[in-house]
Amino acid sequence: MKLKTSIPEWFSLDDYENLKYMNRNQWRLVWLYRLHAYEYLKNGKENFFSVNQETISEFPLDIKNNVFRDDLISSDDSIHELGDFFIFFIYELAKIWGNDEFIKVLDDVGKYVEESKEKKEKKENIEDIWDEVSISDYEELELDNSKMMEEINKHLGLIISIDTHFSDEAIFKQFKEILSSYRKKRRENGKIISESEIKSLIEYKVIPYIDLMLWGMITGKKIRDQEIADVLFPDEYDISRIDTVRQTVKKKALKLLSHSSPKFI
């Protein structure tokens, strides 16, 4: 008689074989998708990343079909110049967090831009436009945007501006100090993950474990540690498989999904 199991039908260890051949950028994307899903499910609310049962069931298929970029990350991927998208992003955040005063400020900015365009078309002196607005108008509102800024930094990373009138040496020195302080506040590790640790993630089936964990979170079904141990290590009988899951696999998975997780690039 076959015992009833909570392991989903879509789960197969064979789908994770390509992890052995992925480079660091592909590993980064494998990890990043799962991190977003975990944070979404853990927070219990929509937060710019939604996930459903179909999404999770297709996670291993992405690895099997190797849909990830095979080129290593470039500097353009990690550092961006802020553009108009950033303004729209802030606006959406303000609406989500119900910051009506901040929304009004941005709406006024929008009107100001339109009026400025009209004046420029009339060939008025562009310098006259700046005389009509002041940062003090915004500062006098004394808005509490701390929570919104936390969300911005959470999704876009550390946002800074650079005064290029300083030397490269001065800029790099201050950037390192700011970055160190930022990571410390977020309890975030900036160290790169070693090749031996990546091999360990493969050996201990950490990514498959995370997928099963996410499946349990989204379905509300409890998958017993013994079931997970049996499906992750079906051929190992000389060790306690359940102890391996509880003492090693689970710890590695939670570390990988935490702010202190190491970086793949």
Side-chain angles (χ1 to χ4, degrees):
M1 179 179 177
K2 187 175 181 180
L3 295 176
K4 186 177 180 181
T5 178
S6 298
I7 302 296
E9 294 181 357
W10 53 261
F11 184 85
S12 171
L13 280 180
D14 293 339
D15 293 340
Y16 297 88
E17 283 297 308
N18 270 340
L19 287 173
K20 299 176 182 178
Y21 312 109
M22 288 186 171
N23 64 30
R24 284 181 170 271
N25 189 52
Q26 292 169 325
W27 260 97
R28 183 183 69 90
L29 295 173
V30 167
W31 159 76
L32 196 58
Y33 292 164
R34 285 158 178 79
L35 175 65
H36 287 326
Y38 176 72
E39 291 182 340
Y40 170 82
L41 295 173
K42 187 179 179 182
N43 293 334
K45 62 180 180 180
E46 187 169 353
N47 200 9
F48 299 100
F49 183 86
S50 60
V51 63
N52 52 41
Q53 293 186 25
E54 182 180 2
T55 305
I56 295 176
S57 67
E58 291 179 351
F59 273 174
L61 296 181
D62 289 341
I63 295 175
K64 180 179 180 180
N65 298 325
N66 197 10
V67 300
F68 305 103
R69 285 171 39 185
D70 59 2
D71 57 315
L72 290 177
I73 194 169
S74 68
S75 60
D76 291 339
D77 294 308
S78 58
I79 299 177
H80 302 271
E81 292 185 11
L82 300 180
D84 52 359
F85 167 79
F86 177 67
I87 301 299
F88 288 110
F89 187 87
I90 294 178
Y91 189 81
E92 289 301 314
L93 279 173
K95 289 196 293 184
I96 288 174
W97 291 107
N99 195 325
D100 296 333
E101 286 184 302
F102 195 76
I103 292 172
K104 182 179 182 304
V105 171
L106 293 179
D107 283 340
D108 290 343
V109 170
K111 294 176 183 177
Y112 171 74
V113 170
E114 290 302 319
E115 292 174 359
S116 299
K117 287 181 179 178
E118 293 177 3
K119 289 184 178 181
K120 189 174 182 181
E121 289 173 359
K122 294 177 182 178
K123 297 183 179 180
E124 291 191 16
N125 191 331
I126 191 67
E127 292 181 359
D128 294 338
I129 297 175
W130 300 110
D131 293 336
E132 299 173 11
V133 67
S134 171
I135 190 65
S136 62
D137 296 332
Y138 167 76
E139 291 175 338
E140 286 177 1
L141 290 174
E142 296 182 350
L143 305 180
D144 181 11
N145 296 309
S146 56
K147 191 170 185 179
M148 187 170 65
M149 289 308 299
E150 286 178 9
E151 287 299 308
I152 291 173
N153 284 330
K154 179 179 178 181
H155 293 281
L156 290 184
L158 175 62
I159 300 170
I160 63 172
S161 62
I162 298 175
D163 186 345
T164 56
H165 291 96
F166 286 89
S167 67
D168 290 356
E169 289 77 7
I171 292 173
F172 293 154
K173 181 178 181 295
Q174 188 172 15
F175 177 74
K176 287 182 179 180
E177 293 173 354
I178 294 173
L179 179 61
S180 176
S181 175
Y182 175 81
R183 290 200 187 282
K184 186 175 181 180
K185 288 178 182 178
R186 289 171 56 88
R187 300 191 302 276
E188 186 177 272
N189 193 337
K191 295 182 178 179
I192 193 166
I193 190 171
S194 67
E195 290 293 333
S196 61
E197 182 59 24
I198 292 178
K199 290 180 181 178
S200 180
L201 295 177
I202 296 173
E203 177 185 355
Y204 285 103
K205 316 291 196 308
V206 175
I207 297 300
Y209 175 89
I210 289 176
D211 287 353
L212 290 175
M213 182 178 71
L214 294 175
W215 183 256
M217 291 174 70
I218 199 169
T219 62
K221 296 179 180 179
K222 173 65 176 177
I223 305 179
R224 294 182 295 110
D225 289 341
Q226 187 63 63
E227 290 180 298
I228 295 177
D230 291 342
V231 75
L232 292 186
F233 307 102
D235 302 323
E236 298 185 19
Y237 300 101
D238 56 339
I239 61 172
S240 176
R241 292 179 290 188
I242 193 169
D243 287 344
T244 300
V245 168
R246 290 173 176 172
Q247 298 174 13
T248 304
V249 183
K250 184 177 182 180
K251 290 181 179 179
K252 285 181 176 292
L254 293 178
K255 181 180 179 182
L256 204 59
L257 298 173
S258 72
H259 282 305
S260 62
S261 61
K263 307 298 182 285
F264 288 92
I265 295 178

